[in-house]
Amino acid sequence: MKQKKILLVEDEINLRETIQDLLEHYDYEVKSAENGQKALELLDNWLPDLIISDIMMPVMDGHSFHQIIKETKTLNQIPFIFLTAKNDEKEMEKCLLNGADLFLTKPFKIETLIKIIQSKIKRFDELKSVNKSINPTESNYFLHEINTPLFGILGSVNLLLNPKHNLKEKEIDFFYQTIKTSGKRLDRTLKNSILYENLKNNNLDFYENLTSDIANSFSKVKKDIADFDKAQARRITSSVEECAIKIHNKYLIFILFELIDNALKFSKNNKKIIVTGKKFNTEFYELLIQDFGIGFSEDELKEINVCKQFNRNQEEQQGLGLGLFMSKSFIEKTNGVFSINSQKNVGTTIKVFLPLKKG
């Protein structure tokens, strides 16, 4: 059976190490942090089955940390247990009313903690099996993203096979191209959904010793975009210098394709997007992707998440909304840095720093 994962947040080092050792003795995979801020950094790249947190901590206390967890779609269902040395009924009431699963007062018996952990994780597993709110395939858009290209394929095939239509060569070529484009879109939707499931379950290997040439990866991505739509590919103005990046090529191609595709989707067809890449220093390569499209508000940028699509009613989009979320995750998992600067009706600039191959 796969190890269950626990995040332990406790500023007192001796207690933190003692609890971690005990939990590992009971065969849990444990990561620990000394405050809420450090815990959030861990959660960027790792999803636990349960969180245990102290309340009184420096930098970011337990209440502030818990509030962020509650407001984050991919984290807010994870069981959350507060540990505290204060036997205070008002404090307990505050924690429980704010949505914590349990309030446990120090000192406590490890047997009691283990029983509570087992119960909460079991309940979380049951919840995940029936409530798919963090599963992109449960989105209303998933069926749309499957059915739209499927109808394009089946409709074109029916027309091609029906001799009554007496199609001209130009029309036949058009339907063949529709089948090809629709097939690629369907393939991308299914692969991204599977990739997300593996990311969510920590089943991806990020091959820390492998490198990729970013200029070659970019050329491959531009060709793939042209296969979908040559006019879209012509909108890309680029200057991407060759460099060895410390990331597996399949993840680099995914990041480049999704970020460039998003820039194209969120800007009008007559506007260029600019892609530039160069060595920033001895440690990082800087990649900039700039569009002059609809832009996003500050609140929208905070909601970059699974299945989140912006202005779908005004701007018809294709895709599940996984691309931006997973690109950000892949960049951070390979020790890169991801940031967005955007302004409504002006445009968006995505800046990425990717680690260089040493030497």
Side-chain angles (χ1 to χ4, degrees):
M1 182 180 291
K2 191 174 180 180
Q3 276 185 307
K4 295 299 182 180
K5 301 179 288 293
I6 296 176
L7 173 60
L8 173 64
V9 192
E10 168 63 61
D11 65 318
E12 188 181 331
I13 185 169
N14 290 334
L15 181 58
R16 184 171 72 244
E17 291 178 350
T18 299
I19 295 175
Q20 180 164 353
D21 287 344
L22 287 166
L23 292 175
E24 289 174 345
H25 174 74
Y26 281 88
D27 203 31
Y28 291 105
E29 177 186 339
V30 184
K31 291 192 178 184
S32 62
E34 61 266 35
N35 58 60
Q37 184 60 50
K38 292 291 185 181
L40 290 174
E41 292 173 8
L42 287 174
L43 289 170
D44 279 339
N45 302 306
W46 185 75
L47 287 180
D49 297 288
L50 182 134
I51 297 171
I52 301 172
S53 176
D54 191 10
I55 295 178
M56 302 298 293
M57 296 181 292
V59 184
M60 181 186 289
D61 66 16
H63 289 305
S64 301
F65 172 56
H66 182 228
Q67 184 64 31
I68 294 172
I69 296 297
K70 287 196 308 174
E71 293 172 353
T72 305
K73 185 176 180 182
T74 51
L75 304 175
N76 61 17
Q77 295 187 55
I78 298 172
F80 196 104
I81 297 174
F82 271 121
L83 292 183
T84 179
K86 294 172 63 178
N87 191 1
D88 185 330
E89 287 189 8
K90 288 187 177 180
E91 187 76 19
M92 181 186 299
E93 184 179 344
K94 178 181 177 181
C95 292
L96 297 178
L97 287 176
N98 284 339
D101 290 85
L102 197 71
F103 182 99
L104 196 60
T105 305
K106 307 170 190 174
F108 52 85
K109 292 182 177 179
I110 190 63
E111 293 83 2
T112 302
L113 179 60
I114 294 300
K115 286 180 180 178
I116 291 169
I117 288 171
Q118 289 171 342
S119 173
K120 295 299 178 184
I121 290 180
K122 181 181 178 183
R123 176 61 183 149
F124 185 44
D125 287 340
E126 292 171 352
L127 185 65
K128 285 190 290 186
S129 69
V130 296
N131 181 3
K132 304 295 186 180
S133 64
I134 57 174
N135 185 342
T137 59
E138 290 299 308
S139 164
N140 289 332
Y141 302 134
F142 184 73
L143 287 179
H144 170 79
E145 291 305 318
I146 293 294
N147 287 332
T148 300
L150 190 57
F151 290 155
I153 293 168
L154 295 177
S156 298
V157 168
N158 286 335
L159 287 168
L160 288 168
L161 293 177
N162 193 334
K164 293 181 180 179
H165 293 295
N166 194 25
L167 297 174
K168 297 177 181 177
E169 185 176 347
K170 195 171 183 180
E171 292 172 323
I172 292 172
D173 289 342
F174 171 79
F175 288 123
Y176 279 140
Q177 185 60 40
T178 298
I179 292 170
K180 178 183 176 182
T181 302
S182 296
K184 284 179 174 290
R185 178 178 168 187
L186 183 59
D187 179 64
R188 180 184 172 198
T189 296
L190 295 174
K191 283 181 176 177
N192 282 5
S193 298
I194 294 168
L195 193 60
Y196 169 72
E197 284 298 316
N198 285 323
L199 173 66
K200 183 183 75 175
N201 294 315
N202 298 303
N203 289 332
L204 295 179
D205 187 343
F206 284 88
Y207 310 98
E208 293 182 2
N209 296 322
L210 295 183
T211 59
S212 308
D213 185 281
I214 192 165
N216 289 338
S217 299
F218 172 73
S219 297
K220 169 76 165 56
V221 167
K222 194 170 180 181
K223 182 178 181 300
D224 288 344
I225 291 172
D227 283 345
F228 275 100
D229 190 330
K230 289 185 174 60
Q232 292 288 75
R234 287 194 291 268
R235 293 171 55 202
I236 302 171
T237 298
S238 61
S239 174
V240 178
E241 296 178 1
E242 291 183 4
C243 205
I245 306 299
K246 195 176 178 184
I247 184 174
H248 192 287
N249 192 50
K250 68 179 179 181
Y251 296 125
L252 182 57
I253 285 175
F254 179 92
I255 291 164
L256 290 168
F257 187 96
E258 295 297 334
L259 296 185
I260 293 170
D261 186 57
N262 267 324
L264 291 167
K265 282 194 293 191
F266 288 109
S267 54
K268 295 188 181 298
N269 288 335
N270 61 343
K271 292 188 176 182
K272 296 281 187 182
I273 72 159
I274 301 171
V275 181
T276 58
K278 62 182 180 181
K279 189 175 179 181
F280 181 73
N281 57 23
T282 57
E283 294 186 13
F284 288 99
Y285 184 93
E286 181 185 44
L287 177 71
L288 292 176
I289 300 172
Q290 184 178 14
D291 70 63
F292 305 93
I294 62 173
F296 306 109
S297 69
E298 186 176 340
D299 288 339
E300 286 173 331
L301 290 178
K302 290 178 182 177
E303 295 181 27
I304 295 173
N305 215 321
V306 181
C307 295
K308 178 64 180 178
Q309 294 184 321
F310 301 108
N311 304 310
R312 176 144 188 153
N313 293 333
Q314 290 79 26
E315 304 287 335
E316 179 58 27
Q317 301 170 33
Q318 296 178 358
L320 291 171
L322 291 174
L324 197 57
F325 172 83
M326 288 202 295
S327 295
K328 180 175 181 289
S329 296
F330 291 159
I331 290 163
E332 291 171 349
K333 280 182 177 290
T334 52
N335 299 314
V337 180
F338 174 95
S339 66
I340 300 181
N341 183 22
S342 189
Q343 188 175 344
K344 275 282 190 181
N345 302 316
V346 174
T348 300
T349 299
I350 293 178
K351 182 180 290 189
V352 177
F353 290 100
L354 296 166
L356 295 173
K357 176 185 177 183
K358 299 298 181 182

